[in-house]
Amino acid sequence: MHNREQFREKALKAIDKKAAFGEDIDLRSFEKWAEPENLDICALPEIERELLAMAGIDVTEKERGGTFIQKNTSVAHCSVKQEGIEVIPLKQALERYDWIWDYYWKVVQVDADKYTASAELDLHDGYVIRALPGSKTIYPIQACMFMDRENLQQNVHNIIIAEEDSELHVITGCVTSHRMKRGIHVGISEFFVKKKAKLSFTMIHNWAEEMHVRPRSGAIVEEGGLFLNNYVCMKPVQSIQMYPTTHLMGAGAIARFYSIIVGSPGSVYDVGGRIFLNAPGNRAEIVSRAITNGGTIIARGHLIGKSPEIKAHLECRGLILNGGIMNAIPELEGHIDGVEMSHEAAVGKIAQEEIFYLMARGLNEEDATSTIVRGFLNVDIPGLPPQLKAEIDKAIEESNKDVM
Amino acid sequence: MLLIEDLQVELAGKIILRHIDMEIKPGETHVLFGPNGSGKTSLLMTIMGYPQYRVLAGRIMFKGVDITHLPINERAKLGIGMSFQRPPTIRGLKTRQMVSICAGERKDVDVEALARAVNFYDFLDRDVNDGFSGGEIKRCELLQLMAQDPDLFLFDEPESGVDLENMELIGRTIAKLLGQSITPKSEKSLIQQKRERTKMGLIITHTGHILDYVSATKGQVLFEGVMSCVENPREILRCIREVGYEECVRCIIGNNSEKKH
Ligand SMILES: Nc1ncnc2c1ncn2[C@@H]1O[C@H](COP(=O)(O)OP(=O)(O)OP(=O)(O)O)[C@@H](O)[C@H]1O
Ligand SMILES: [Mg+2]
C-alpha cells in the first residue's frame, strides 16, 4: 500500500526552508486547526454571500456543474451534478483510491519550501476534480476556499485531472470573511491535462488586508492538450507570492496564463508564471495586466524553450495610477535552434490623449479614465466559456469602483 | 453659430495660430484649405478644447456661449463633435462600446445599424482604432459622429487615404449628417429645405473631393497660422492649383481687405 511517510520525511527536512521569492513568513505564529463545521452557503449573511459572489462563486449553484467548499480546515460541502465529473475531498481520495498516488506531489515538490512542507505535515484537506475520458463540462465546477477564523493557517492540496479528450472548466474563489483580518493560506494545486484534453482554471482572490497567501502550483500537459490558467486579484492582501509552473510534455500542447491584478496600498503581489516548452509544436503565452494604486506588484514571467518549432510570447503591461511600484520581470530562455520566443513589457500611466479622445465623445474626465482602465484590464481570453468571462468582468467591474 | 474672434494660439512654446476670425452660421458648412503644417488641425483641436493648444488672445463663441476655456467634454455636450486626423488606439475598449459612449443618453441609437451604414459592422468587436487602416479610421470616426450627432461637425481630412468606393460612402454620409440630403417629393421646396438646415460643418480638405458630395458655400485658407478671408471654395481650389497657397492667400486677403474698407 502507499503511505505518506516518504513525503512526511522530506517535508520535515524542508520545514524551515525559505521560498525563493516573497516575504518569509513565520508559520509558527499561526493556528493550524479549527472546529469542523458544515456550511450552508445560502444561509450565510448577505455580506459574506456577496464576497463569495465577487470571487465567482454562484451560491445558487444554478450555473455550476458541481460545488466544493472548504471552510477553514475542513470540507463543508461537496457535490456534483454533472455526469462524467468527479469531485472528491482530497483526504477521502487518499484513503480510498489507489490512482490518487499517481498525482499526489507529482508536479509540485513536497520539499520545495516551508509552505509545501507545511501543507504536507498539517494537511487540512482540498479537492480532487476529475473529468473522465471524453466528458465535457457544460457548466464550470466551482471550488471555494473560505476562511473566517482569525490567525488561522489554511493548508489545502488540490488535484485537477482532465482525462483524455475531456473538457473541464473550474472556477475557484478564495475568500476571507469580512470579520477576519490576519491569516495565511497555503494552497497546493497539481494539474494534469491528458491527451487532447482542455482544462481552464480561473482563480479569483478576495482576501483580507493582513492575509499572506502562498499558492504552489504545477501542471503537466500532454500531447494536444490545452491548459488555460486565469488569475484575478483586485483586493488588498498583505502579501501574495506564487510562481505556477507548467510543463508542456506532448507535441502540440498549449498553455496560456492570464493574470489581472489591481494592487492596493500596502499590499505586495509577487505573481509569476513559468512554462517549459518541451515538445515540438508547443505554444505558450503569458499575459499580465497590472494596475497599482499604491501597492507593490512584481510581475514575473519565464518561458523556457527546449524543443524546436515552439512559439512562446510574454506580454506584461502595468499602469501606475496612484503611486506604488510596478516591477515587470520577463525572462526568455531558448535552449535549441528553431525556437520563436518574444516578450513585450510596458509600465506607464494612462495616456492623456486617450482621456481627451473620450472626453471629446462626451465623457467627463473621471468616466473617461475609468473607461480606459476597464479597457486595460479587459483581456481577450480565447477558449474561456462566456460565464467565466462574465465572472472575471464582474470582479473587474466591482473593483473599478474602488480604484477610481 | 460658431464665432471665432481674433484667436491667437500657442502650442509647445510656439505661436501656431494668429488673429483667426471665423463665423459659421447655422446650416452652413465651410471648408478649410492650407499646406501641411499650416495649423488646420490645430484650429480644430482648439475649437474642440484640447488644452495643449493654449489660447493667448481672442475668443470662441458657440451658440452664444463663450467656450474659450471650457473643458473638452462640456464642448461636446454643447454639440461640438470632431472627426480626428490621428485618433489614439484604446486597448480593450471595443468599437461597439465606443459608439454607445458617443450616443450618450440617447437610447434609441442602433449601433449595429449605424455600423452597417458605413461598412463597419465587422469592426464593432475590435478595439478602437487598434490596427485600423487609414481608411478604416475615417469610417470609424464617422460612425462615432453618427452616434454622437453634434450640431457642429469638425472634420479633419475625412477623405484622405480613402478609396474611391468608400469616398462616395463617406461623402454621402457626411452630407446626410449635415442635413444636406435632399428629400425628393417633399412638400417643401429645395430652398425651404436648405433654409431649415441647422447643422454646421467645418471640413479640412486638401483635394476638395468632398465638395463633390457636400455643398459648402464658404472656404478659407490657412497659411503659416494666418487665415484668409472667406471665398467660394471652388475658387480657392482653382487659385491654389494655379498660383499656390502663398499667392492665393495674399490675393484673397488683399481682395477682402479692399472690400471691407
Ligand atoms: N506637440 C507639438 N510640438 C511642437 N510642434 C507641434 C506639435 N504638434 C504640432 N506641431 C506643429 O504645429 C504646426 C501646425 O500643425 P497642424 O497639425 O495644425 O498642421 P496641419 O495644417 O493640420 O497640417 P497637415 O495638413 O499636415 O495635417 C506644425 O508645424 C506642427 O509640426
Ligand atoms: Mg492636420
Side-chain angles (χ1 to χ4, degrees):
Chain A
M1 237 351 252
H2 305 275
N3 64 50
R4 281 170 63 191
E5 202 47 43
Q6 42 163 338
F7 298 127
R8 198 183 151 72
E9 275 168 26
K10 280 190 182 171
L12 280 169
K13 284 182 198 144
I15 197 80
D16 288 314
K17 188 172 166 188
K18 288 185 185 173
F21 301 108
E23 179 190 341
D24 186 50
I25 312 293
D26 179 11
L27 295 177
R28 289 178 183 86
S29 65
F30 295 92
E31 313 283 336
K32 302 282 189 295
W33 193 80
E35 291 287 340
E37 41 187 321
N38 276 325
L39 179 69
D40 178 3
I41 26 180
C42 295
L44 273 176
E46 178 66 27
I47 183 164
E48 307 282 25
R49 267 186 295 159
E50 227 163 75
L51 288 172
L52 290 177
M54 277 168 62
I57 303 301
D58 180 353
V59 292
T60 67
E61 297 187 63
K62 232 182 257 153
E63 303 226 308
R64 297 292 183 261
T67 300
F68 173 93
I69 298 168
Q70 175 159 340
K71 183 178 180 187
N72 297 324
T73 57
S74 54
V75 175
H77 179 105
C78 183
S79 67
V80 62
K81 294 190 286 194
Q82 171 95 44
E83 215 175 302
I85 306 292
E86 298 175 346
V87 183
I88 314 159
L90 177 87
K91 278 190 162 171
Q92 188 182 322
L94 290 175
E95 278 162 26
R96 292 191 193 164
Y97 306 109
D98 253 3
W99 52 260
I100 195 70
W101 300 96
D102 294 337
Y103 304 101
Y104 189 66
W105 290 121
K106 280 296 183 285
V107 255
V108 177
Q109 300 304 312
V110 63
D111 56 359
D113 56 34
K114 58 161 75 167
Y115 310 105
T116 54
S118 179
E120 173 59 23
L121 297 172
D122 287 299
L123 175 67
H124 296 145
D125 218 321
Y127 56 80
V128 179
I129 298 178
R130 186 157 84 123
L132 299 178
S135 64
K136 306 259 184 259
T137 49
I138 299 162
Y139 292 115
I141 310 299
Q142 61 182 357
C144 173
M145 298 297 163
F146 186 70
M147 292 174 75
D148 72 351
R149 181 66 68 92
E150 192 61 22
N151 211 34
L152 183 72
Q153 173 174 349
Q154 183 183 53
N155 288 337
V156 301
H157 193 138
N158 309 315
I159 290 173
I160 299 96
I161 308 161
E163 297 285 0
E164 281 187 25
D165 274 320
S166 67
E167 182 173 332
L168 174 62
H169 301 282
V170 178
I171 181 163
T172 161
C174 298
V175 180
T176 40
S177 151
H178 69 286
R179 282 184 310 255
M180 182 175 169
K181 288 198 174 68
R182 184 178 189 268
I184 180 166
H185 169 90
V186 176
I188 314 297
S189 298
E190 299 186 276
F191 301 91
F192 301 87
V193 183
K194 304 281 181 79
K195 276 186 192 164
K196 292 194 198 135
K198 177 178 169 182
L199 168 63
S200 88
F201 185 79
T202 301
M203 181 154 81
I204 301 179
H205 276 176
N206 206 341
W207 300 109
E209 278 167 39
E210 292 171 43
M211 277 292 297
H212 292 285
V213 184
R214 294 293 181 272
R216 295 292 179 259
S217 336
I220 288 177
V221 187
E222 294 180 6
E223 192 184 317
L226 169 68
F227 180 40
L228 202 59
N229 190 6
N230 307 311
Y231 176 64
V232 181
C233 182
M234 322 287 287
K235 293 285 167 188
V237 63
Q238 177 96 59
S239 81
I240 170 156
Q241 187 275 315
M242 63 182 192
Y243 210 150
T245 300
T246 290
H247 305 267
L248 299 178
M249 302 307 291
I254 301 172
R256 297 210 198 94
F257 286 20
Y258 298 88
S259 63
I260 299 167
I261 298 167
V262 173
S264 311
S267 303
V268 179
Y269 311 78
D270 185 336
V271 175
R274 183 183 280 128
I275 302 173
F276 288 88
L277 297 93
N278 296 305
N282 284 165
R283 298 276 177 274
E285 187 180 32
I286 297 178
V287 176
S288 119
R289 293 277 189 281
I291 293 181
T292 163
N293 261 321
T296 298
I297 301 178
I298 305 167
R300 298 178 200 275
H302 190 182
L303 295 165
I304 306 104
K306 296 204 159 187
S307 169
E309 298 158 54
I310 59 105
K311 250 191 204 166
H313 184 68
L314 210 159
E315 180 188 307
C316 176
R317 287 178 198 279
L319 273 186
I320 302 178
L321 279 194
N322 298 306
I325 297 171
M326 220 2 269
N327 190 357
I329 310 178
E331 261 189 274
L332 301 180
E333 222 182 290
H335 287 257
I336 192 162
D337 284 8
V339 299
E340 225 182 293
M341 310 173 80
S342 55
H343 79 69
E344 203 186 329
V347 175
K349 58 176 178 136
I350 297 181
Q352 279 258 291
E353 207 200 351
E354 295 177 25
I355 297 176
F356 292 157
Y357 188 43
L358 286 168
M359 287 173 75
R361 300 302 184 223
L363 294 187
N364 62 34
E365 188 171 353
E366 201 185 29
D367 291 344
T369 308
S370 68
T371 301
I372 293 164
V373 167
R374 224 175 295 138
F376 174 83
L377 296 175
N378 177 24
V379 267
D380 290 320
I381 305 177
L384 192 70
Q387 296 138 338
L388 293 185
K389 172 71 178 144
E391 293 298 347
I392 292 177
D393 290 347
K394 200 170 72 190
I396 292 174
E397 203 56 39
E398 280 299 322
S399 79
N400 207 27
K401 292 176 198 154
D402 309 340
V403 174
M404 289 304 132
Chain B
M1 185 169 78
L2 176 77
L3 181 66
I4 298 177
E5 291 174 329
D6 198 27
L7 191 70
Q8 195 167 334
V9 175
E10 175 206 82
L11 173 68
K14 203 175 76 184
I15 294 188
I16 44 162
L17 295 174
R18 302 163 194 273
H19 309 294
I20 303 291
D21 289 311
M22 182 175 253
E23 183 181 349
I24 304 179
K25 297 202 182 82
E28 282 184 0
T29 290
H30 291 207
V31 277
L32 187 58
F33 299 95
N36 296 139
S38 57
K40 302 180 298 300
T41 296
S42 305
L43 176 59
L44 264 56
M45 296 294 253
T46 307
I47 298 171
M48 195 67 242
Y50 273 61
Q52 60 266 44
Y53 297 87
R54 270 188 54 219
V55 176
L56 300 179
R59 59 175 191 163
I60 309 172
M61 305 284 294
F62 182 63
K63 293 183 179 171
V65 181
D66 185 341
I67 61 165
T68 320
H69 299 289
L70 281 190
I72 302 173
N73 57 309
E74 287 182 30
R75 299 185 200 210
K77 290 270 182 261
L78 266 180
I80 302 180
M82 175 158 172
S83 157
F84 292 86
Q85 189 176 12
R86 266 194 304 268
T89 297
I90 303 185
R91 276 175 199 277
L93 181 66
K94 302 295 169 207
T95 302
R96 180 188 298 280
Q97 293 166 279
M98 184 62 164
V99 180
S100 320
I101 286 172
C102 293
E105 320 276 80
R106 277 172 299 119
K107 297 288 169 240
D108 58 332
V109 173
D110 183 344
V111 174
E112 299 195 349
L114 291 184
R116 280 203 189 87
V118 283
N119 261 336
F120 219 65
Y121 184 78
D122 293 341
F123 296 81
L124 284 179
D125 290 314
R126 275 174 64 177
D127 291 357
V128 178
N129 298 327
D130 190 13
F132 287 3
S133 75
E136 286 160 5
I137 284 181
K138 302 292 175 201
R139 259 145 62 218
C140 184
E141 290 292 296
L142 198 54
L143 172 59
Q144 292 174 48
L145 285 186
M146 286 160 75
Q148 199 176 341
D149 193 28
D151 297 320
L152 169 63
F153 289 84
L154 306 170
F155 286 105
D156 197 343
E157 298 190 25
E159 83 256 84
S160 38
V162 175
D163 67 50
L164 286 176
E165 276 173 38
N166 278 303
M167 184 59 234
E168 175 161 356
L169 178 70
I170 283 182
R172 291 194 192 289
T173 311
I174 291 178
K176 199 168 153 197
L177 285 175
L178 291 170
Q180 294 187 357
S181 30
I182 290 147
T183 327
K185 292 186 204 143
S186 161
E187 283 158 27
K188 294 171 184 169
S189 71
L190 262 175
I191 305 278
Q192 214 175 346
Q193 286 186 35
K194 211 165 157 183
R195 214 182 291 129
E196 285 172 8
R197 276 179 207 158
T198 54
K199 298 283 184 187
M200 292 163 267
L202 177 55
I203 307 177
I204 297 177
T205 176
H206 286 293
T207 60
H209 291 327
I210 192 73
L211 295 171
D212 295 344
Y213 308 93
V214 175
S215 66
T217 39
K218 292 166 184 175
Q220 276 173 294
V221 186
L222 196 55
F223 188 80
E224 291 177 350
V226 179
M227 188 81 105
S228 75
C229 286
V230 177
E231 260 295 336
N232 175 301
R234 296 253 177 222
E235 291 287 313
I236 295 178
L237 206 54
R238 197 162 52 90
C239 174
I240 294 169
R241 277 206 197 106
E242 283 168 19
V243 296
Y245 288 105
E246 191 167 8
E247 198 58 28
C248 176
V249 169
R250 213 155 44 93
C251 141
I252 298 174
I253 290 177
N255 256 338
N256 276 286
S257 37
E258 267 166 39
K259 270 184 222 160
K260 250 185 202 168
H261 299 295

